[in-house]
Amino acid sequence: MSTFTTAAATMQQLSQAGMEEASRHGLRVGDLEHLFAALVLNDQLAGRALRAIGLSLEGVRDATHRMNAAHLQRLRVTTMTAEPQRIVFQETRGYEWTPRAMDVLTAAGGKNAGDAEAVLRALLIEPSGLMNDLLAHLDTSADAVRTALAAEAAQPTPLSNGTLKSPDKRGVLVEIFVPAPSAAVWSLLADPARLPEWHYLIGSVEVDTAAEIVPGVIWAVLAPTHQPDGTPVRVKERFRRHQMQLLVIEQPNRISWRSSYPDFPRRRAIELSIQITAVAGGCQVRATSSGTPGPTWKTLLFSPLHPLKRFLDWISLTQITAGISRAFR
Amino acid sequence: MENDDTAEAAAAGDDPKSGLRAVVALRAHADALELREVEAALRVGLSWSEIAAALGVTRQAVHKKYHRRIDPTIPVPRRNP
């Protein structure tokens, strides 16, 4: 994976997770503590190193709350901070990073790798002192994190092959860390009635409760008609109905579907495969998505657009995997 | 908040940067409260101008800051309906 691709993918993943954290607190501006929370969730080396020293999303949230309470107390401000709400990032707009958080992200790029490790290293030397403060509330330190990074770098890479392409080269691949036990993630993914909880293109499922959940079974699925906040969603009629066919179900860690549009048969079917692996503090979810191959002439004709199409497919798969992670946050 | 308290904290050997970080935390807290109050005001039908006047800023300033950030389900008043 090129430095540019790495940096773009990292920025997209950290920005989404960081802004989701900010949105829980009624904020539309993400700051250093939200970026750090996003790093703890990250599937790259940086996230693995942080989790290896016992850090978790809940721990970071709790430490941030205690740190902010101590700050307000220092100013002799007595106020009740509002309880965090659910994540509303997907249904609100106008998000941005604070200038100092942008400085960290910018410093991680340039001559550096632009990956999550570079972001974490830049965060550890940010000049405000907030990170040292937060790490102290987590009973750790910047040096301990650097040591963990070095130790993790010496480990063999567990799953990621460092590419956005799926192993069959036809599709795209996204790996994420989910802060929940693999059994809980499996329960979410293997239950067709729960598809709308994590798949952003699915609003409702017609499930025949008597039908056995075996490979080949097909569920009728409808696109969402409303956002979680009630805003209507406009969907073209031909994309309103889907069919989700279960291709593989290997309890407790591998599941695969093929989705197609019965009202738009020319549209290629998409295969989505998900594999779950238990890791420290949660599980690793590896998702691949690929379209069924079209005619050769069409493949050749549109070959110049392949990089763009691959990127759009990757963004779509990122939304799906983010939905799985969000279901546990 | 009293000046004496801040001076006391500084005299006690507190890191002065800690006080500055505390102000940043207070500002973030105020920002969250301000967004919540702007949304509440819009929900009961206040106009952007009325909200701006209450906040002591221009209508343009409050609209620019919040029109994209508020809950999209809130019916937003238009100047020329």
Side-chain angles (χ1 to χ4, degrees), chain A residues 92-115:
Chain A
T92 46
R93 295 179 299 156
Y95 286 84
E96 57 190 333
W97 286 114
T98 57
R100 63 182 182 178
M102 261 328 284
D103 286 347
V104 167
L105 291 167
T106 306
K111 290 178 183 171
N112 295 310
D115 59 4

Side-chain angles (χ1 to χ4, degrees), chain A residues 25-29 31 33 68 70-72 74-77 79-82 91-96 100 127-131 133 229-231, chain B residues 1-2 5-6 8-10 14-26 28-29 31-33 35-36 39 67-73:
Chain A
H25 298 278
L27 293 170
R28 301 294 179 264
V29 180
D31 203 358
E33 63 270 35
N68 287 335
H71 282 152
L72 294 179
R74 187 190 192 281
L75 295 173
R76 307 293 193 270
V77 174
T79 176
M80 290 293 288
T81 50
E91 55 217 66
T92 46
R93 295 179 299 156
Y95 286 84
E96 57 190 333
R100 63 182 182 178
S128 78
L130 182 139
M131 276 315 300
D133 203 352
D229 62 8
T231 315
Chain B
M1 199 181 343
E2 296 171 16
D5 292 336
T6 311
E8 193 182 298
D14 277 12
D15 174 11
K17 277 188 168 182
S18 170
L20 297 170
R21 287 198 297 275
V23 174
V24 176
L26 180 61
H29 184 56
D31 281 347
L33 290 177
L35 172 60
R36 203 170 70 185
E39 288 181 332
H67 82 284
R68 294 178 68 225
R69 294 180 174 184
I70 56 167
D71 180 344
T73 59

Side-chain angles (χ1 to χ4, degrees), chain A:
Chain A
M1 189 155 47
S2 72
T3 303
F4 174 77
T5 313
T6 302
T10 303
M11 183 74 166
Q12 202 279 339
Q13 288 171 340
L14 292 180
S15 292
Q16 174 151 351
M19 297 307 179
E20 285 176 350
E21 276 305 294
S23 78
R24 293 176 71 245
H25 298 278
L27 293 170
R28 301 294 179 264
V29 180
D31 203 358
L32 303 176
E33 63 270 35
H34 308 120
L35 183 54
F36 187 65
L39 281 164
V40 170
L41 283 174
N42 195 265
D43 72 298
Q44 296 177 27
L45 186 148
R48 294 199 300 273
L50 292 171
R51 294 191 293 275
I53 55 171
L55 302 190
S56 66
L57 178 63
E58 280 310 311
V60 171
R61 284 174 173 173
D62 179 55
T64 303
H65 178 76
R66 284 186 282 112
M67 178 181 73
N68 287 335
H71 282 152
L72 294 179
Q73 193 177 12
R74 187 190 192 281
L75 295 173
R76 307 293 193 270
V77 174
T78 49
T79 176
M80 290 293 288
T81 50
E83 282 295 306
Q85 307 295 309
R86 67 183 179 87
I87 292 169
V88 294
F89 173 70
Q90 270 58 35
E91 55 217 66
T92 46
R93 295 179 299 156
Y95 286 84
E96 57 190 333
W97 286 114
T98 57
R100 63 182 182 178
M102 261 328 284
D103 286 347
V104 167
L105 291 167
T106 306
K111 290 178 183 171
N112 295 310
D115 59 4
E117 181 186 355
V119 174
L120 179 54
R121 287 188 184 279
L123 195 55
L124 293 177
I125 55 169
E126 64 81 27
S128 78
L130 182 139
M131 276 315 300
N132 288 333
D133 203 352
L134 180 56
L135 289 171
H137 277 87
L138 287 160
D139 295 325
T140 186
S141 66
D143 283 342
V145 173
R146 286 191 197 95
T147 305
L149 280 172
E152 193 61 36
Q155 300 285 326
T157 307
L159 284 172
S160 175
N161 58 3
T163 175
L164 301 185
K165 292 179 185 173
S166 63
D168 64 7
K169 307 288 184 196
R170 283 193 293 122
V172 287
L173 162 73
V174 173
E175 287 193 36
I176 58 159
F177 169 77
V178 178
S182 56
V185 178
W186 177 259
S187 299
L188 174 74
L189 298 179
D191 184 350
R194 297 184 71 186
L195 277 163
E197 288 182 42
W198 56 272
H199 198 307
Y200 75 105
L201 292 174
I202 296 176
S204 59
V205 187
E206 289 173 19
V207 180
D208 178 0
T209 49
E212 211 177 343
I213 299 176
V214 291
V217 67
I218 295 175
W219 295 296
V221 171
L222 292 177
T225 54
H226 290 82
Q227 301 276 15
D229 62 8
T231 315
V233 177
R234 289 172 60 187
V235 181
K236 287 182 181 173
E237 191 57 31
R238 60 189 181 181
F239 293 128
R240 210 171 64 79
R241 290 199 305 145
H242 309 219
Q243 280 183 338
M244 291 285 281
Q245 181 180 21
L246 188 65
L247 299 179
V248 176
I249 180 160
E250 292 175 3
Q251 194 172 357
N253 61 4
R254 188 163 166 255
I255 190 162
S256 179
W257 304 262
R258 179 186 291 126
S259 68
S260 56
Y261 294 93
D263 299 321
F264 190 24
R266 277 194 299 124
R267 174 84 172 203
R268 65 189 185 137
I270 303 285
E271 287 184 15
L272 171 65
S273 298
I274 296 178
Q275 189 160 348
I276 306 167
T277 308
V279 294
C283 63
Q284 190 88 356
V285 170
R286 177 189 175 97
T288 58
S289 167
S290 58
T292 48
T296 309
W297 66 267
K298 209 170 179 179
T299 307
L300 290 172
L301 183 65
F302 292 104
S303 60
L305 297 175
H306 278 175
L308 174 64
K309 193 183 160 308
R310 187 181 298 281
F311 180 69
L312 294 176
D313 287 348
W314 180 80
I315 289 287
S316 175
L317 187 57
T318 301
Q319 295 302 312
I320 291 170
T321 52
I324 297 170
S325 169
R326 204 162 43 243
F328 296 97
R329 287 183 282 137

